[in-house]
Amino acid sequence: MSSAWNASDVTPDGAAWLASAGTYPRSTLALWGERPDAPVVLPCGSVFDVVSAPAMFGRRMLDRLWDDGPGSGPVAQFRGRMLLFAAPGTAQRLPALLEWEEWGGRDSREATRTDAVPPLLCHGTGDAVTVPAPSRNTSLTVPAPPESVSSAAPAPPESISPAVPTRSDSISPATPPPAGTTAPARSDSRWLVAPDTRQPWLPGPEVLLWAAVRAARSAVRISIFPPADQDAKVYDVSRRR
């Protein structure tokens, strides 16, 4: 069943999960306790990978995941891109699966199933992404960090320093900023499927390949009737695994 989507807020447990990806989870949670409207830069590869897609194609992928598939993990919109949070290792495996799909259909006279798939940016180990603020409200009560990070050393002062410039969708692996660094707030930065537990389900590369192929198929269908409201979808997270 298709559902509508609006911006949603991260729960305290979801904030703890996001913060656990950084080097100093306690400092990130403390920052969000004071500034819940602050986006931050977090590393990929250990807690999650991120697949970044153009906004319209990313929405089609999200529709396929929720209408016909198992649902999605957390999903954010940032600077015209859709950030689909995925299981660690997805960033390394998904490009190979897409290439295999493309190669497998080259002997056919028909277009391959991935011809309509735009370039997907896969962020894994060594990369970092800017994640939207956990809340648009003025307060957020954050819980203690998970046990796995409870013994983390106190963050140095620069880990909660003022915002630094970042790229639109990722940080160069060669010079990543400190994990938990704040990033400039953007009006188009929001959570569409916000993390709400300390262990959210995350799709793997096979699931995202499936969604990309089906989104590509839907992209080539021509309709004379434009969608009524492309910003009116919200996903029933109770279906999430």
Side-chain angles (χ1 to χ4, degrees):
M1 178 177 64
S2 177
S3 37
W5 47 331
N6 292 316
S8 57
D9 287 344
V10 177
T11 66
D13 281 343
W17 174 73
L18 286 170
S20 70
T23 306
Y24 304 104
R26 289 182 181 275
S27 293
T28 301
L29 290 175
L31 170 65
W32 277 336
E34 297 178 357
R35 295 181 54 196
D37 60 342
V40 300
V41 178
L42 294 174
C44 302
S46 59
V47 174
F48 53 75
D49 282 0
V50 171
V51 175
S52 172
M56 290 306 299
F57 188 81
R59 291 186 180 190
R60 293 190 184 101
M61 288 181 64
L62 201 51
D63 286 343
R64 299 287 69 75
L65 287 168
W66 285 98
D67 291 348
D68 307 317
S72 72
V75 179
Q77 179 176 310
F78 187 77
R79 297 186 181 179
R81 306 281 300 186
M82 294 284 280
L83 307 182
L84 290 88
F85 285 67
T90 297
Q92 181 179 6
R93 180 65 176 153
L94 182 58
L97 291 177
L98 287 167
E99 184 178 357
W100 181 86
E101 284 281 333
E102 180 180 4
W103 177 84
R106 283 307 175 195
D107 292 335
S108 172
R109 293 183 179 180
E110 298 181 358
T112 66
R113 297 196 297 173
T114 58
D115 279 351
V117 177
L120 302 178
L121 305 180
C122 299
H123 305 297
T125 303
D127 299 328
V129 296
T130 301
V131 303
S135 175
R136 295 188 175 191
N137 299 322
T138 57
S139 64
L140 174 69
T141 302
V142 296
E147 293 182 2
S148 60
V149 296
S150 59
S151 60
E158 58 268 20
S159 67
I160 53 174
S161 60
V164 298
T166 64
R167 285 178 51 190
S168 62
D169 43 74
S170 69
I171 305 301
S172 170
T175 56
T181 301
T182 59
R186 291 287 297 258
S187 60
D188 59 349
S189 170
R190 57 177 180 164
W191 289 98
L192 300 180
V193 181
D196 55 5
T197 72
R198 291 179 185 246
Q199 294 182 326
W201 178 77
L202 298 172
E206 293 82 4
V207 172
L208 292 181
L209 173 68
W210 174 90
V213 169
R214 280 155 181 77
R217 289 175 175 173
S218 68
V220 300
R221 297 173 183 170
I222 300 176
S223 173
I224 62 173
F225 300 106
D229 185 358
Q230 294 179 354
D231 285 330
K233 282 204 161 190
V234 187
Y235 294 100
D236 178 10
V237 295
S238 64
R239 290 180 49 202
R240 200 183 320 168
R241 292 180 179 177

